Amino acid sequence: MAAADSVLAADSPSVALPGLARALISAGKLEQKTAEDVSRKAQGNRTSFIAELVGSGAVSATDLAHTMSGAFGAPLLDLEAVDPQRLPKNLLDSKMCQALRVLVLAKRNNRLIVATADPSDQQAAEKIKFSTQMGVDWIITEYDKLTKMIEASATSASEVMDSIIGDDFEFDESTMDSESADEGDQTPSEVEDAPVVKFLHKMLVDAFTMRASDLHFEPYEHTYRVRFRIDGELREIASPPTAIKEKLASRIKVISKMDISEKRVPQDGRMKLKIGPERVIDFRVSTLPTLFGEKIVIRILDPSSAKLGIDALGYEVEEKTRLLEAINRPYGMILVTGPTGSGKTVSLYTCLNLLNKPGINISTAEDPSEINLPGVNQVNMNDKAGLTFAAALKSFLRQDPDVIMVGEIRDLETADIAIKAAQTGHLVLSTLHTNDAPTTLTRMRNMGIAPFNIASSVILITAQRLARRLCPHCKAPADIPHETLLEAGFKDEDVDGTWTPYKPVGCSMCNNGYKGRVGIYQVMPISEDMQRIILADGSAMDIAKQSESEGVKSLRQSGLNKVKLGVTSLEEVLGCTNL
């Protein structure tokens, strides 16, 4: 009988065992025959060896984790001590995480710290390296806990769409700033599709929770993606089915009071969402017709950002003093310049908040008003109705104003009225799109404004950028060569070894080493010497040279000072300023 058994065993086809099985056999935790039986069963059931192994009870998940940690010399981690909400997102596609049964725990320099129950899986490591272009450091965890957390952390579009269809989520129609009459004429299938409603609500809440500034809904020929701008960087969050793009666009347009039948031209609107019992967030919505549908960008407008105070914006002591002196003058023009998304509106409203007192009449003209500030008379532009910046400014001058804020000086007519207001006893605040403070004056000259009017009205110009702020929890000293620091703009006396530059690392508390943003400013008061240069029709280079002699830091110098203070990295400053 024994001989027969041995013959049968000899006739049985040999099974190629995975590295995990060989490691367990070598450690004495698994018999060869048991390993082969589990492997055959896994092949028959089309499951992984480790899933079949733990599921069959041949080796417990805890025993397996301890054995793998010892065999491969990798640290052991209990996932029950990890908060899944603080895990880094979007470093590795969630579908790949599910397929490979891995979980990204953190990022260190150019390496990912990845939780796994099977460190012998070289194919998984190679796939992760190929997908992320980063190295992999394994952390051993128990298979059952790992599987549970991977399922809980999955954020793929299909999973989001499936999960939000359930009855455990209630979309509150009353939170949206829309009238029932606006929705009464719409097709029910376009505005009341429950999955779309819940998906949109989830995206808005997630964006607010993740401190995003914008949401991008982008249709393409075969795909549809949602991206959030977090700390100035766009990150893909979801890829819902392309079939929802029309319904999603219609839903957003309905609650933003747009015309859902008009898909050929861009539209603008607003909507509100209630976050908690007393918190309401405003959203500015913009649609744009593209080849494969309407792209929609939603800007999150948080009124509390204007009430953070001037210190929270990142002004240095000297820059703050210059700005406060200018806004406390009785008349003149203050200009804030920079590209879109550089924080100009927040800076203007911070100044308005300081000026907003019972004895001061403040009026603003914007397109549209982004931040609601009680005590300030805010006017939205309506070009179709004839309410332009120029028309609003003319009306303001008949409204007994003390302070006037113009969202943007776009043309000569608006500029002329604003300058006349500044020359006749009013404080005027506005924005322009220029690269730095000195070029703002030549930009106004190119618009057709006479040098005398510029010199007699403009009292201060602030140019600004937003740089990502280093995460205080994980930033690390950076070894930057002396020559690189000098090329970046540091002087020899600055590179004296008394300070340390820092670099981003990445942890569960931040986004790739950065958390939040800080302003980089060039605050340039218009002195008498600068007025003479303007009257002589001098160039931006002449003004820049004079401002430097008066102690005004350029944007690059201001950014380098933030590097010395450890607030941001040198790479970030080089990326958003010119030398």
Side-chain angles (χ1 to χ4, degrees):
M1 192 71 176
D5 288 340
S6 63
V7 171
L8 288 173
D11 291 339
S12 299
S14 59
V15 178
L17 296 176
L20 177 67
R22 295 194 296 271
L24 288 170
I25 293 170
S26 178
K29 297 292 183 180
L30 191 64
E31 296 291 336
Q32 174 84 20
K33 184 178 184 306
T34 305
E36 292 177 355
D37 290 343
V38 171
S39 182
R40 289 192 189 96
K41 193 173 182 181
Q43 291 175 8
N45 295 335
R46 295 187 177 182
T47 57
S48 65
F49 177 84
I50 189 172
E52 200 66 48
L53 181 71
V54 175
S56 66
V59 178
S60 70
T62 302
D63 203 12
L64 174 63
H66 282 85
T67 303
M68 291 299 99
S69 178
F72 289 88
L76 186 65
L77 174 68
D78 185 358
L79 282 180
E80 288 185 350
V82 176
D83 183 359
Q85 298 300 322
R86 294 191 173 185
L87 290 176
K89 294 179 175 59
N90 303 318
L91 291 177
L92 187 64
D93 182 67
S94 61
K95 290 182 179 178
M96 182 175 288
C97 287
Q98 284 192 305
L100 302 179
R101 280 295 182 260
V102 296
L103 191 67
V104 178
L105 300 175
K107 176 176 175 288
R108 294 283 186 273
N109 298 322
N110 199 37
R111 301 188 69 82
L112 292 179
I113 312 300
V114 183
T116 183
D118 183 8
S120 68
D121 192 349
Q122 291 300 315
Q123 287 187 350
E126 291 302 323
K127 287 180 180 179
I128 295 172
K129 288 178 184 178
F130 181 79
S131 176
T132 63
Q133 298 300 305
M134 288 187 278
V136 176
D137 292 329
W138 291 127
I139 297 288
I140 310 301
T141 61
E142 295 164 80
Y143 180 76
D144 51 352
K145 295 179 181 178
L146 176 64
T147 302
K148 185 183 295 185
M149 186 167 286
I150 289 172
E151 296 296 336
S153 303
T155 56
S156 69
S158 59
E159 291 160 354
V160 170
M161 290 301 292
D162 290 341
S163 65
I164 60 180
I165 293 176
D167 296 331
D168 58 337
F169 190 88
E170 185 71 23
F171 183 75
D172 185 3
E173 194 70 43
S174 64
T175 60
M176 292 300 178
D177 184 20
S178 58
E179 299 175 5
S180 58
D182 293 332
E183 299 187 13
D185 298 332
Q186 313 302 339
T187 304
S189 63
E190 289 186 318
V191 299
E192 295 178 0
D193 190 282
V196 171
V197 169
K198 294 175 181 178
F199 179 72
L200 174 59
H201 190 283
K202 177 175 173 56
M203 289 295 100
L204 295 176
V205 172
D206 284 353
F208 177 76
T209 304
M210 297 170 69
R211 299 169 57 89
S213 60
D214 300 87
L215 299 83
H216 292 241
F217 297 86
E218 301 169 316
Y220 298 98
E221 185 173 9
H222 302 295
T223 59
Y224 189 72
R225 69 176 177 181
V226 181
R227 293 192 290 175
F228 292 174
R229 187 175 293 280
I230 303 172
D231 293 337
E233 184 181 43
L234 275 174
R235 302 174 63 183
E236 185 169 342
I237 301 299
S239 298
T242 56
I244 77 164
K245 64 182 181 182
E246 297 292 342
K247 291 181 179 179
L248 187 60
S250 295
R251 179 63 188 171
I252 293 173
K253 290 160 79 172
V254 164
I255 57 181
S256 303
K257 298 184 179 179
M258 299 184 197
D259 182 359
I260 68 170
S261 63
E262 181 56 78
K263 302 177 182 179
R264 299 165 298 176
V265 296
Q267 296 187 65
D268 294 300
R270 293 176 73 103
M271 62 183 180
K272 292 183 179 180
L273 180 67
K274 191 173 183 181
I275 306 289
E278 298 180 354
R279 188 80 179 271
V280 177
I281 303 299
D282 287 312
F283 298 89
R284 188 184 71 194
V285 185
S286 173
T287 68
L288 179 69
T290 66
L291 285 176
F292 304 105
E294 289 179 286
K295 175 179 177 178
I296 300 173
V297 176
I298 301 177
R299 167 68 58 87
I300 299 177
L301 308 174
D302 190 356
S304 62
S305 60
K307 300 177 183 178
L308 294 174
I310 195 168
D311 293 320
L313 299 183
Y315 284 94
E316 303 295 334
V317 175
E318 191 175 7
E319 296 168 345
K320 172 185 171 182
T321 302
R322 290 171 180 164
L323 181 60
L324 291 178
E325 287 177 353
I327 66 174
N328 285 308
R329 289 174 64 170
Y331 56 87
M333 179 179 285
I334 298 172
L335 295 172
V336 180
T337 75
T340 301
S342 61
K344 299 188 299 295
T345 301
V346 172
S347 293
L348 282 176
Y349 268 94
T350 300
C351 294
L352 290 180
N353 200 42
L354 294 173
L355 295 168
N356 190 14
K357 299 174 184 177
I360 297 179
N361 180 23
I362 304 175
S363 297
T364 72
E366 300 169 85
D367 187 21
S369 297
E370 294 189 4
I371 298 174
N372 181 25
L373 196 60
V376 175
N377 306 293
Q378 298 172 272
V379 178
N380 274 338
M381 298 301 96
N382 188 340
D383 290 338
K384 291 182 180 179
L387 182 55
T388 62
F389 280 115
L393 281 176
K394 289 178 182 177
S395 179
F396 286 171
L397 294 177
R398 296 189 290 270
Q399 292 276 320
D400 186 30
D402 297 302
V403 178
I404 295 172
M405 194 269 273
V406 186
E408 183 183 353
I409 293 179
R410 298 177 178 174
D411 51 51
L412 179 59
E413 183 182 11
T414 304
D416 275 338
I417 300 171
I419 283 175
K420 289 175 183 175
Q423 291 172 336
T424 54
H426 307 95
L427 183 65
V428 179
L429 289 77
S430 190
T431 69
L432 272 176
H433 288 261
T434 57
N435 290 327
D436 57 16
T439 56
T440 303
L441 297 169
T442 54
R443 167 83 175 105
M444 297 179 72
R445 185 72 186 91
N446 292 336
M447 288 175 67
I449 304 170
F452 171 80
N453 285 330
I454 299 173
S456 61
S457 60
V458 180
I459 59 175
L460 181 132
I461 301 173
T462 296
Q464 65 183 70
R465 299 289 189 276
L466 286 178
R468 289 183 291 173
R469 190 189 294 267
L470 283 168
C471 173
H473 300 285
C474 67
K475 67 179 182 180
D479 185 14
I480 303 177
H482 182 87
E483 295 76 12
T484 303
L485 294 173
L486 294 178
E487 289 176 3
F490 283 108
K491 298 178 181 178
D492 282 318
E493 56 268 28
D494 294 327
V495 191
D496 54 8
T498 59
W499 58 276
T500 303
Y502 287 87
K503 63 181 179 180
V505 176
C507 68
S508 60
M509 304 289 289
C510 64
N511 297 310
N512 298 327
Y514 296 97
K515 186 175 183 179
R517 289 193 284 179
V518 64
I520 295 176
Y521 302 95
Q522 180 184 28
V523 182
M524 187 179 79
I526 306 302
S527 64
E528 291 185 1
D529 290 332
M530 286 188 194
Q531 288 177 337
R532 294 190 185 95
I533 295 174
I534 295 168
L535 289 170
D537 211 9
S539 66
M541 294 180 63
D542 297 329
I543 297 169
K545 187 175 181 181
Q546 178 61 33
S547 70
E548 186 178 359
S549 68
E550 295 177 8
V552 175
K553 293 179 182 177
S554 66
L555 283 169
R556 172 60 63 86
Q557 291 168 340
S558 180
L560 294 178
N561 192 51
K562 295 286 193 299
V563 175
K564 288 181 67 175
L565 296 173
V567 176
T568 189
S569 65
L570 181 61
E571 294 82 3
E572 189 70 9
V573 171
L574 296 179
C576 64
T577 62
N578 289 330
L579 185 62

